[in-house]
Amino acid sequence: MSRRRRTSSHRMRNTVVSLLSVSLLAVGGTALYSLWRPFGHDAPVLTVRYRTGDRATTDVARPWLEIINTSGRTVDLSDVTLRYYYADADGSAYASNCVQTALGCSVLTLRTQPASTPAPGADHYLQVGFTAAAGSLAPGKSTQGIGLQLYRVDHQPLHQGNDRSFDATDTTYTRSTRVTAYVRGDRVWGEDPGGGSRAPARQTSVAPAPPEDVLFDDFRYTGPGDPALAAHGWEARGGQGGPGVQDSWSPAGVSFPAAEAGAGNQALQLRATTDGTAQGTRQAEFHRTEPAVRTGTLVARVHFSDTPTSGSDGDHVAQSFFTISPDHASKKYSELDYEYTPNGGWGRFGPRLDTTSWRSSVRGDRVTGSHPLKLDGWHTMVITTVDGTTTYSVDGRELFTSGSRYGPREPMTVNFSTWFIDLAFKGAPRTWDMQVDWLYYQSGRTISAQAAQKAVAGFAAAGIPYVDTLPGR
């Protein structure tokens, strides 16, 4: 069904005083290794500054960090890691995201993990790193501010008064030795929480630069009001219009609970509720704010629901994953849909998955494949549009193909939604949930679902929650 849309918006050597160059003869040539000036002698290689505007108790910790190169040589940011220390009192899962940085959030790696030797206020840390795409920092230069968020995956309040790296008085950028910095695994700034000279394992590899022409999101966000959403090009819909029950869209239906893998992994959740009346109905949609998807391969890991999370079954609910032109009346209108209806709708029985390619929403010009499939649970959904052919596949099984007439003619937004086709019956409220674990888009070419899943696993291993290297980004 076409959707009428509104316009949106990194060990220490105590005797080393300066940088040493050691030439090692290796097979096939000579390898040159550089050892950094030791921590505590002369000027540090790096200086870290910190600020925050948070109170000791808050829903989300918001540390801002800045790295300044105070050495006499250029530093590759991919060799640098920072550690921001915090205390986890009750074993909660934590996550983090990037809100703002001049470097671009796509070049950051973020990990929350327990300290190998816990110290007061520092039994865990947020480790910040950089991919090979982050570039270098010349002497005297700064990364400028890196705005981060640290939060509990259960979204309960944080009590950060005893966190080692937190200081409520640092409301402007201040040098902080309670945030440590490392270059290739050697500590070059800050005080070790245990008071010793411990350092992390020497870094043996660098997170590669993300591939070009890719959009990826692991959905690490705090809620529909998270400023990182806008920074990363997402929006929770709260406007008017259809489809389904008119003018019932609410950002409150969008949340980010723990996902299928657990251990701090999150998912996007879209919740629709109804009591059978228009006034008691709320629908949910989450979408990109700018059209940037046209040809290539779009893959999402989606959880569909055959029964309501709460309340009686029977609603004609639609759970959708689609791309669409921003303007429904565009002369180059384009729309590619997955629409799952567990209880059917429009006079048809369910469960059913419709795959539809649209050329015009005004004239209803479209081609559809309707598939009587039961999809309760997690599935890998793929839409591939290359060389004039659009193919819809689920879990590696090709379901439907449409030709060039119904192929994308202009860039589209990516959308996920849960909505009601009609108000089937009145009564006690019912709640329907749809979840999305991750999204991966490769512009301009065909890739397999397995290749997308491998890329996503690689991002997870590197600690990369978000990538946007699409043209113009």
Side-chain angles (χ1 to χ4, degrees):
M1 180 178 179
S2 175
R3 290 141 185 87
R4 183 177 298 273
R5 296 293 308 280
R6 73 276 180 271
T7 301
S8 46
S9 47
H10 96 42
R11 85 173 96 169
M12 299 294 143
R13 291 181 181 266
N14 293 331
T15 60
V16 180
V17 175
S18 59
L19 295 171
L20 301 179
S21 295
V22 181
S23 297
L24 301 177
L25 185 62
V27 176
T30 299
L32 187 65
Y33 293 82
S34 296
L35 300 177
W36 293 99
R37 183 181 339 197
F39 177 77
H41 289 69
D42 301 329
V45 174
L46 303 175
T47 295
V48 178
R49 303 203 307 167
Y50 156 85
R51 74 172 175 86
T52 185
D54 284 337
R55 302 180 300 273
T57 298
T58 183
D59 290 335
V60 184
R62 299 174 179 85
W64 284 75
L65 305 176
E66 179 190 19
I67 307 171
I68 304 171
N69 184 350
T70 42
S71 74
R73 63 171 292 176
T74 297
V75 177
D76 288 334
L77 283 170
S78 59
D79 291 333
V80 176
T81 54
L82 305 179
R83 287 184 175 181
Y84 177 93
Y85 299 91
Y86 63 95
D88 176 16
D90 56 6
S92 301
Y94 280 71
S96 61
N97 63 30
C98 167
V99 176
Q100 181 179 333
T101 170
L103 299 170
C105 289
S106 292
V107 304
L108 264 61
T109 67
L110 301 169
R111 302 177 186 277
T112 55
Q113 56 194 71
S116 57
T117 305
D123 52 32
H124 284 71
Y125 55 83
L126 164 59
Q127 180 162 297
V128 184
F130 304 88
T131 73
S136 59
L137 206 57
K141 296 300 182 178
S142 162
T143 58
Q144 302 181 43
I146 301 172
L148 305 170
Q149 294 188 136
L150 175 67
Y151 56 93
R152 291 170 52 135
V153 172
D154 62 7
H155 305 295
Q156 294 303 303
L158 299 178
H159 304 286
Q160 56 181 343
N162 293 325
D163 289 358
R164 178 176 176 82
S165 296
F166 173 75
D167 192 334
T169 66
D170 289 342
T171 57
T172 59
Y173 281 109
T174 305
R175 292 191 304 173
S176 174
T177 58
R178 295 198 170 191
V179 177
T180 53
Y182 306 83
V183 177
R184 300 179 192 165
D186 290 340
R187 181 164 55 94
V188 298
W189 173 264
E191 301 168 353
D192 185 272
S197 58
R198 293 181 291 108
R202 180 172 294 278
Q203 181 172 318
T204 57
S205 63
V206 173
E212 292 299 315
D213 302 328
V214 160
L215 173 66
F216 163 73
D217 207 312
D218 199 26
F219 300 118
R220 292 196 206 167
Y221 299 105
T222 63
D226 191 332
L229 291 179
H232 295 176
W234 292 105
E235 180 180 60
R237 182 177 178 183
Q240 299 178 339
V245 181
Q246 293 287 308
D247 306 338
S248 64
W249 303 96
S250 173
V254 174
S255 62
F256 300 89
E260 59 175 328
N265 189 34
Q266 293 177 260
L268 160 67
Q269 178 168 283
L270 299 113
R271 170 166 291 182
T273 61
T274 188
D275 61 1
T277 69
Q279 297 81 5
T281 298
R282 295 293 180 268
Q283 304 180 136
E285 180 175 294
F286 186 74
H287 59 257
R288 300 294 290 174
T289 55
E290 297 293 336
V293 171
R294 187 172 177 179
T295 63
T297 306
L298 182 64
V299 189
R301 183 71 174 165
V302 180
H303 186 281
F304 295 112
S305 298
D306 276 1
T307 57
T309 304
S310 65
S312 300
D313 200 353
D315 289 303
H316 296 149
V317 64
Q319 301 163 44
S320 305
F321 164 39
F322 59 101
T323 63
I324 191 170
S325 292
D327 180 1
H328 78 279
S330 170
K331 293 182 179 180
K332 294 185 177 182
Y333 183 84
S334 307
E335 181 181 348
L336 307 174
D337 285 4
Y338 277 112
E339 199 159 80
Y340 183 60
T341 52
N343 291 324
W346 298 293
R348 302 175 306 167
F349 294 109
R352 184 171 297 274
L353 178 69
D354 289 337
T355 51
T356 306
S357 300
W358 291 78
R359 184 176 177 88
S360 171
S361 67
V362 175
R363 298 190 303 273
D365 189 0
R366 67 190 186 272
V367 288
T368 298
S370 190
H371 318 279
L373 297 174
K374 182 179 177 64
L375 294 179
D376 189 57
W378 287 101
H379 300 277
T380 302
M381 318 295 291
V382 182
I383 303 175
T384 304
T385 301
V386 175
D387 298 331
T389 300
T390 299
T391 302
Y392 299 80
S393 303
V394 178
D395 299 330
R397 175 188 173 190
E398 184 177 312
L399 295 181
F400 180 67
T401 300
S402 59
S404 58
R405 173 175 173 79
Y406 296 96
R409 295 179 293 161
E410 64 181 4
M412 303 168 289
T413 60
V414 180
N415 306 252
F416 301 95
S417 64
T418 304
W419 51 282
F420 298 102
I421 297 168
D422 53 33
L423 299 176
F425 62 96
K426 294 181 180 180
R430 292 87 69 186
T431 299
W432 290 84
D433 291 330
M434 169 185 176
Q435 292 190 339
V436 186
D437 195 357
W438 49 263
L439 170 80
Y440 186 93
Y441 170 60
Q442 173 69 67
S443 177
R445 63 188 184 92
T446 300
I447 63 169
S448 66
Q450 292 84 354
Q453 290 169 324
K454 182 178 179 179
V456 169
F459 289 142
I464 301 174
Y466 166 80
V467 170
D468 186 352
T469 58
L470 295 178
R473 297 302 191 270

